[in-house]
PDB file of all heavy atoms in Angstrom:
ATOM      1  N   VAL A  80     -13.526   0.825  -5.297  1.00 93.00           N
ATOM      2  CA  VAL A  80     -12.754  -0.195  -5.996  1.00 93.00           C
ATOM      3  C   VAL A  80     -12.260  -1.233  -4.994  1.00 93.00           C
ATOM      4  O   VAL A  80     -12.412  -2.455  -5.220  1.00 93.00           O
ATOM      5  CB  VAL A  80     -11.515   0.457  -6.731  1.00 93.00           C
ATOM      6  CG1 VAL A  80     -10.551  -0.625  -7.231  1.00 93.00           C
ATOM      7  CG2 VAL A  80     -11.967   1.298  -7.890  1.00 93.00           C
ATOM      8  N   ILE A  81     -11.747  -0.779  -3.872  1.00 93.00           N
ATOM      9  CA  ILE A  81     -11.257  -1.679  -2.817  1.00 93.00           C
ATOM     10  C   ILE A  81     -12.433  -2.465  -2.231  1.00 93.00           C
ATOM     11  O   ILE A  81     -12.343  -3.723  -2.057  1.00 93.00           O
ATOM     12  CB  ILE A  81     -10.493  -0.916  -1.740  1.00 93.00           C
ATOM     13  CG1 ILE A  81      -9.198  -0.336  -2.372  1.00 93.00           C
ATOM     14  CG2 ILE A  81     -10.132  -1.813  -0.552  1.00 93.00           C
ATOM     15  CD1 ILE A  81      -8.465   0.654  -1.482  1.00 93.00           C
ATOM     16  N   ALA A  82     -13.551  -1.765  -1.951  1.00 94.00           N
ATOM     17  CA  ALA A  82     -14.725  -2.419  -1.366  1.00 94.00           C
ATOM     18  C   ALA A  82     -15.283  -3.525  -2.255  1.00 94.00           C
ATOM     19  O   ALA A  82     -15.652  -4.598  -1.797  1.00 94.00           O
ATOM     20  CB  ALA A  82     -15.777  -1.387  -1.051  1.00 94.00           C
ATOM     21  N   VAL A  83     -15.329  -3.231  -3.568  1.00 95.00           N
ATOM     22  CA  VAL A  83     -15.850  -4.226  -4.522  1.00 95.00           C
ATOM     23  C   VAL A  83     -14.973  -5.464  -4.526  1.00 95.00           C
ATOM     24  O   VAL A  83     -15.466  -6.584  -4.465  1.00 95.00           O
ATOM     25  CB  VAL A  83     -15.959  -3.601  -5.939  1.00 95.00           C
ATOM     26  CG1 VAL A  83     -16.136  -4.658  -7.001  1.00 95.00           C
ATOM     27  CG2 VAL A  83     -17.086  -2.600  -6.018  1.00 95.00           C
ATOM     28  N   LEU A  84     -13.663  -5.274  -4.550  1.00 93.00           N
ATOM     29  CA  LEU A  84     -12.734  -6.405  -4.520  1.00 93.00           C
ATOM     30  C   LEU A  84     -12.871  -7.220  -3.245  1.00 93.00           C
ATOM     31  O   LEU A  84     -12.862  -8.432  -3.279  1.00 93.00           O
ATOM     32  CB  LEU A  84     -11.268  -5.902  -4.686  1.00 93.00           C
ATOM     33  CG  LEU A  84     -10.888  -5.450  -6.109  1.00 93.00           C
ATOM     34  CD1 LEU A  84      -9.587  -4.721  -6.086  1.00 93.00           C
ATOM     35  CD2 LEU A  84     -10.792  -6.637  -7.048  1.00 93.00           C
ATOM     36  N   VAL A  85     -13.024  -6.513  -2.130  1.00 92.00           N
ATOM     37  CA  VAL A  85     -13.219  -7.194  -0.841  1.00 92.00           C
ATOM     38  C   VAL A  85     -14.507  -8.002  -0.874  1.00 92.00           C
ATOM     39  O   VAL A  85     -14.539  -9.176  -0.490  1.00 92.00           O
ATOM     40  CB  VAL A  85     -13.226  -6.195   0.339  1.00 92.00           C
ATOM     41  CG1 VAL A  85     -13.669  -6.862   1.619  1.00 92.00           C
ATOM     42  CG2 VAL A  85     -11.831  -5.594   0.547  1.00 92.00           C
ATOM     43  N   ALA A  86     -15.572  -7.389  -1.385  1.00 93.00           N
ATOM     44  CA  ALA A  86     -16.879  -8.062  -1.449  1.00 93.00           C
ATOM     45  C   ALA A  86     -16.807  -9.282  -2.345  1.00 93.00           C
ATOM     46  O   ALA A  86     -17.346 -10.359  -2.017  1.00 93.00           O
ATOM     47  CB  ALA A  86     -17.920  -7.094  -1.964  1.00 93.00           C
ATOM     48  N   ILE A  87     -16.135  -9.157  -3.500  1.00 93.00           N
ATOM     49  CA  ILE A  87     -16.059 -10.272  -4.469  1.00 93.00           C
ATOM     50  C   ILE A  87     -15.261 -11.459  -3.881  1.00 93.00           C
ATOM     51  O   ILE A  87     -15.636 -12.604  -4.066  1.00 93.00           O
ATOM     52  CB  ILE A  87     -15.425  -9.789  -5.782  1.00 93.00           C
ATOM     53  CG1 ILE A  87     -16.399  -8.877  -6.546  1.00 93.00           C
ATOM     54  CG2 ILE A  87     -15.039 -10.957  -6.659  1.00 93.00           C
ATOM     55  CD1 ILE A  87     -15.795  -8.200  -7.750  1.00 93.00           C
ATOM     56  N   ILE A  88     -14.198 -11.146  -3.150  1.00 90.00           N
ATOM     57  CA  ILE A  88     -13.335 -12.210  -2.642  1.00 90.00           C
ATOM     58  C   ILE A  88     -13.685 -12.670  -1.258  1.00 90.00           C
ATOM     59  O   ILE A  88     -13.810 -13.870  -0.984  1.00 90.00           O
ATOM     60  CB  ILE A  88     -11.851 -11.766  -2.712  1.00 90.00           C
ATOM     61  CG1 ILE A  88     -11.447 -11.594  -4.202  1.00 90.00           C
ATOM     62  CG2 ILE A  88     -10.911 -12.786  -2.056  1.00 90.00           C
ATOM     63  CD1 ILE A  88     -10.181 -10.861  -4.404  1.00 90.00           C
ATOM     64  N   ALA A  89     -13.861 -11.726  -0.339  1.00 86.00           N
ATOM     65  CA  ALA A  89     -14.051 -12.103   1.064  1.00 86.00           C
ATOM     66  C   ALA A  89     -15.438 -12.646   1.367  1.00 86.00           C
ATOM     67  O   ALA A  89     -15.600 -13.539   2.199  1.00 86.00           O
ATOM     68  CB  ALA A  89     -13.776 -10.889   1.938  1.00 86.00           C
ATOM     69  N   TRP A  90     -16.433 -12.143   0.685  1.00 85.00           N
ATOM     70  CA  TRP A  90     -17.812 -12.560   0.943  1.00 85.00           C
ATOM     71  C   TRP A  90     -18.046 -14.041   0.644  1.00 85.00           C
ATOM     72  O   TRP A  90     -18.470 -14.812   1.521  1.00 85.00           O
ATOM     73  CB  TRP A  90     -18.805 -11.680   0.168  1.00 85.00           C
ATOM     74  CG  TRP A  90     -20.103 -11.455   0.843  1.00 85.00           C
ATOM     75  CD1 TRP A  90     -20.508 -11.982   2.009  1.00 85.00           C
ATOM     76  CD2 TRP A  90     -21.180 -10.656   0.364  1.00 85.00           C
ATOM     77  NE1 TRP A  90     -21.783 -11.581   2.323  1.00 85.00           N
ATOM     78  CE2 TRP A  90     -22.220 -10.748   1.298  1.00 85.00           C
ATOM     79  CE3 TRP A  90     -21.384  -9.895  -0.770  1.00 85.00           C
ATOM     80  CZ2 TRP A  90     -23.442 -10.105   1.160  1.00 85.00           C
ATOM     81  CZ3 TRP A  90     -22.603  -9.217  -0.936  1.00 85.00           C
ATOM     82  CH2 TRP A  90     -23.605  -9.343   0.035  1.00 85.00           C
ATOM     83  N   PRO A  91     -17.754 -14.495  -0.609  1.00 86.00           N
ATOM     84  CA  PRO A  91     -17.944 -15.915  -0.897  1.00 86.00           C
ATOM     85  C   PRO A  91     -17.116 -16.814   0.036  1.00 86.00           C
ATOM     86  O   PRO A  91     -17.563 -17.877   0.424  1.00 86.00           O
ATOM     87  CB  PRO A  91     -17.452 -16.055  -2.327  1.00 86.00           C
ATOM     88  CG  PRO A  91     -17.478 -14.727  -2.915  1.00 86.00           C
ATOM     89  CD  PRO A  91     -17.239 -13.775  -1.773  1.00 86.00           C
ATOM     90  N   LYS A  92     -15.929 -16.336   0.409  1.00 81.00           N
ATOM     91  CA  LYS A  92     -15.076 -17.106   1.309  1.00 81.00           C
ATOM     92  C   LYS A  92     -15.729 -17.285   2.659  1.00 81.00           C
ATOM     93  O   LYS A  92     -15.723 -18.385   3.235  1.00 81.00           O
ATOM     94  CB  LYS A  92     -13.728 -16.359   1.496  1.00 81.00           C
ATOM     95  CG  LYS A  92     -12.547 -17.214   1.078  1.00 81.00           C
ATOM     96  CD  LYS A  92     -11.282 -16.409   1.027  1.00 81.00           C
ATOM     97  CE  LYS A  92     -10.615 -16.270   2.356  1.00 81.00           C
ATOM     98  NZ  LYS A  92      -9.352 -15.484   2.254  1.00 81.00           N
ATOM     99  N   SER A  93     -16.334 -16.226   3.185  1.00 80.00           N
ATOM    100  CA  SER A  93     -16.966 -16.263   4.482  1.00 80.00           C
ATOM    101  C   SER A  93     -18.203 -17.141   4.442  1.00 80.00           C
ATOM    102  O   SER A  93     -18.484 -17.890   5.376  1.00 80.00           O
ATOM    103  CB  SER A  93     -17.289 -14.831   4.927  1.00 80.00           C
ATOM    104  OG  SER A  93     -18.563 -14.698   5.420  1.00 80.00           O
ATOM    105  N   ILE A  94     -18.986 -17.098   3.300  1.00 85.00           N
ATOM    106  CA  ILE A  94     -20.166 -17.934   3.160  1.00 85.00           C
ATOM    107  C   ILE A  94     -19.779 -19.398   3.124  1.00 85.00           C
ATOM    108  O   ILE A  94     -20.381 -20.254   3.801  1.00 85.00           O
ATOM    109  CB  ILE A  94     -20.964 -17.542   1.862  1.00 85.00           C
ATOM    110  CG1 ILE A  94     -21.603 -16.137   2.082  1.00 85.00           C
ATOM    111  CG2 ILE A  94     -22.028 -18.576   1.568  1.00 85.00           C
ATOM    112  CD1 ILE A  94     -22.155 -15.527   0.807  1.00 85.00           C
ATOM    113  N   ALA A  95     -18.717 -19.691   2.377  1.00 83.00           N
ATOM    114  CA  ALA A  95     -18.246 -21.093   2.273  1.00 83.00           C
ATOM    115  C   ALA A  95     -17.778 -21.590   3.625  1.00 83.00           C
ATOM    116  O   ALA A  95     -18.027 -22.749   4.002  1.00 83.00           O
ATOM    117  CB  ALA A  95     -17.095 -21.136   1.287  1.00 83.00           C
ATOM    118  N   LYS A  96     -17.135 -20.731   4.394  1.00 81.00           N
ATOM    119  CA  LYS A  96     -16.655 -21.093   5.735  1.00 81.00           C
ATOM    120  C   LYS A  96     -17.829 -21.422   6.668  1.00 81.00           C
ATOM    121  O   LYS A  96     -17.811 -22.399   7.407  1.00 81.00           O
ATOM    122  CB  LYS A  96     -15.829 -19.924   6.327  1.00 81.00           C
ATOM    123  CG  LYS A  96     -14.803 -20.363   7.343  1.00 81.00           C
ATOM    124  CD  LYS A  96     -13.987 -19.137   7.751  1.00 81.00           C
ATOM    125  CE  LYS A  96     -13.013 -19.436   8.855  1.00 81.00           C
ATOM    126  NZ  LYS A  96     -12.308 -18.237   9.281  1.00 81.00           N
ATOM    127  N   LYS A  97     -18.873 -20.564   6.605  1.00 81.00           N
ATOM    128  CA  LYS A  97     -20.075 -20.792   7.425  1.00 81.00           C
ATOM    129  C   LYS A  97     -20.766 -22.116   7.076  1.00 81.00           C
ATOM    130  O   LYS A  97     -21.186 -22.847   7.924  1.00 81.00           O
ATOM    131  CB  LYS A  97     -21.041 -19.612   7.224  1.00 81.00           C
ATOM    132  CG  LYS A  97     -20.795 -18.484   8.170  1.00 81.00           C
ATOM    133  CD  LYS A  97     -21.812 -17.365   7.970  1.00 81.00           C
ATOM    134  CE  LYS A  97     -21.366 -16.088   8.681  1.00 81.00           C
ATOM    135  NZ  LYS A  97     -22.144 -14.934   8.249  1.00 81.00           N
ATOM    136  N   ARG A  98     -20.833 -22.396   5.746  1.00 83.00           N
ATOM    137  CA  ARG A  98     -21.466 -23.649   5.295  1.00 83.00           C
ATOM    138  C   ARG A  98     -20.701 -24.858   5.788  1.00 83.00           C
ATOM    139  O   ARG A  98     -21.317 -25.828   6.232  1.00 83.00           O
ATOM    140  CB  ARG A  98     -21.532 -23.653   3.755  1.00 83.00           C
ATOM    141  CG  ARG A  98     -22.780 -22.973   3.259  1.00 83.00           C
ATOM    142  CD  ARG A  98     -22.913 -23.173   1.778  1.00 83.00           C
ATOM    143  NE  ARG A  98     -23.955 -22.306   1.245  1.00 83.00           N
ATOM    144  CZ  ARG A  98     -24.099 -21.990  -0.037  1.00 83.00           C
ATOM    145  NH1 ARG A  98     -23.245 -22.499  -0.940  1.00 83.00           N
ATOM    146  NH2 ARG A  98     -25.055 -21.215  -0.435  1.00 83.00           N
ATOM    147  N   ARG A  99     -19.389 -24.759   5.702  1.00 83.00           N
ATOM    148  CA  ARG A  99     -18.534 -25.867   6.187  1.00 83.00           C
ATOM    149  C   ARG A  99     -18.754 -26.116   7.678  1.00 83.00           C
ATOM    150  O   ARG A  99     -18.835 -27.249   8.122  1.00 83.00           O
ATOM    151  CB  ARG A  99     -17.063 -25.531   5.933  1.00 83.00           C
ATOM    152  CG  ARG A  99     -16.478 -26.429   4.798  1.00 83.00           C
ATOM    153  CD  ARG A  99     -15.022 -26.101   4.546  1.00 83.00           C
ATOM    154  NE  ARG A  99     -14.908 -24.906   3.725  1.00 83.00           N
ATOM    155  CZ  ARG A  99     -13.916 -24.016   3.785  1.00 83.00           C
ATOM    156  NH1 ARG A  99     -12.974 -24.148   4.731  1.00 83.00           N
ATOM    157  NH2 ARG A  99     -13.842 -23.001   3.008  1.00 83.00           N
ATOM    158  N   LYS A 100     -18.884 -25.009   8.399  1.00 80.00           N
ATOM    159  CA  LYS A 100     -19.121 -25.116   9.859  1.00 80.00           C
ATOM    160  C   LYS A 100     -20.466 -25.800  10.126  1.00 80.00           C
ATOM    161  O   LYS A 100     -20.576 -26.665  10.980  1.00 80.00           O
ATOM    162  CB  LYS A 100     -19.134 -23.718  10.464  1.00 80.00           C
ATOM    163  CG  LYS A 100     -17.978 -23.461  11.423  1.00 80.00           C
ATOM    164  CD  LYS A 100     -18.183 -22.078  12.063  1.00 80.00           C
ATOM    165  CE  LYS A 100     -16.900 -21.645  12.755  1.00 80.00           C
ATOM    166  NZ  LYS A 100     -17.027 -20.287  13.265  1.00 80.00           N
ATOM    167  N   GLN A 101     -21.521 -25.374   9.381  1.00 82.00           N
ATOM    168  CA  GLN A 101     -22.851 -25.950   9.549  1.00 82.00           C
ATOM    169  C   GLN A 101     -22.836 -27.443   9.231  1.00 82.00           C
ATOM    170  O   GLN A 101     -23.463 -28.223   9.972  1.00 82.00           O
ATOM    171  CB  GLN A 101     -23.833 -25.231   8.606  1.00 82.00           C
ATOM    172  CG  GLN A 101     -24.314 -23.905   9.209  1.00 82.00           C
ATOM    173  CD  GLN A 101     -25.203 -23.123   8.264  1.00 82.00           C
ATOM    174  OE1 GLN A 101     -25.247 -23.434   7.057  1.00 82.00           O
ATOM    175  NE2 GLN A 101     -25.942 -22.196   8.803  1.00 82.00           N
ATOM    176  N   ILE A 102     -22.132 -27.824   8.156  1.00 81.00           N
ATOM    177  CA  ILE A 102     -22.059 -29.245   7.788  1.00 81.00           C
ATOM    178  C   ILE A 102     -21.387 -30.059   8.893  1.00 81.00           C
ATOM    179  O   ILE A 102     -21.838 -31.132   9.245  1.00 81.00           O
ATOM    180  CB  ILE A 102     -21.300 -29.400   6.433  1.00 81.00           C
ATOM    181  CG1 ILE A 102     -22.188 -28.841   5.307  1.00 81.00           C
ATOM    182  CG2 ILE A 102     -20.956 -30.867   6.177  1.00 81.00           C
ATOM    183  CD1 ILE A 102     -21.457 -28.642   4.028  1.00 81.00           C
ATOM    184  N   ARG A 103     -20.342 -29.485   9.480  1.00 77.00           N
ATOM    185  CA  ARG A 103     -19.610 -30.126  10.549  1.00 77.00           C
ATOM    186  C   ARG A 103     -20.513 -30.357  11.788  1.00 77.00           C
ATOM    187  O   ARG A 103     -20.489 -31.375  12.417  1.00 77.00           O
ATOM    188  CB  ARG A 103     -18.374 -29.343  10.930  1.00 77.00           C
ATOM    189  CG  ARG A 103     -17.079 -30.100  10.601  1.00 77.00           C
ATOM    190  CD  ARG A 103     -15.919 -29.268  11.041  1.00 77.00           C
ATOM    191  NE  ARG A 103     -15.316 -28.558   9.916  1.00 77.00           N
ATOM    192  CZ  ARG A 103     -14.496 -27.541  10.036  1.00 77.00           C
ATOM    193  NH1 ARG A 103     -14.225 -27.046  11.242  1.00 77.00           N
ATOM    194  NH2 ARG A 103     -13.973 -26.951   9.024  1.00 77.00           N
ATOM    195  N   ILE A 104     -21.346 -29.344  12.090  1.00 74.00           N
ATOM    196  CA  ILE A 104     -22.247 -29.431  13.233  1.00 74.00           C
ATOM    197  C   ILE A 104     -23.285 -30.499  13.012  1.00 74.00           C
ATOM    198  O   ILE A 104     -23.610 -31.283  13.900  1.00 74.00           O
ATOM    199  CB  ILE A 104     -22.896 -28.017  13.508  1.00 74.00           C
ATOM    200  CG1 ILE A 104     -21.815 -27.059  14.035  1.00 74.00           C
ATOM    201  CG2 ILE A 104     -24.043 -28.125  14.512  1.00 74.00           C
ATOM    202  CD1 ILE A 104     -22.204 -25.593  13.995  1.00 74.00           C
ATOM    203  N   LYS A 105     -23.854 -30.555  11.755  1.00 68.00           N
ATOM    204  CA  LYS A 105     -24.833 -31.566  11.471  1.00 68.00           C
ATOM    205  C   LYS A 105     -24.242 -32.983  11.550  1.00 68.00           C
ATOM    206  O   LYS A 105     -24.829 -33.919  11.996  1.00 68.00           O
ATOM    207  CB  LYS A 105     -25.355 -31.362  10.028  1.00 68.00           C
ATOM    208  CG  LYS A 105     -26.425 -30.255   9.956  1.00 68.00           C
ATOM    209  CD  LYS A 105     -26.844 -29.992   8.544  1.00 68.00           C
ATOM    210  CE  LYS A 105     -27.745 -28.786   8.427  1.00 68.00           C
ATOM    211  NZ  LYS A 105     -28.044 -28.427   7.045  1.00 68.00           N
TER     212      LYS A 105
END
Side-chain angles (χ1 to χ4, degrees):
Chain A
V80 169
I81 294 170
V83 165
L84 285 167
V85 169
I87 289 171
I88 294 166
W90 212 358
K92 238 170 84 179
S93 133
I94 291 168
K96 207 176 173 182
K97 271 182 195 168
R98 273 188 192 163
R99 250 180 280 147
K100 246 185 194 175
Q101 278 176 343
I102 291 166
R103 246 182 261 161
I104 291 165
K105 280 177 187 173

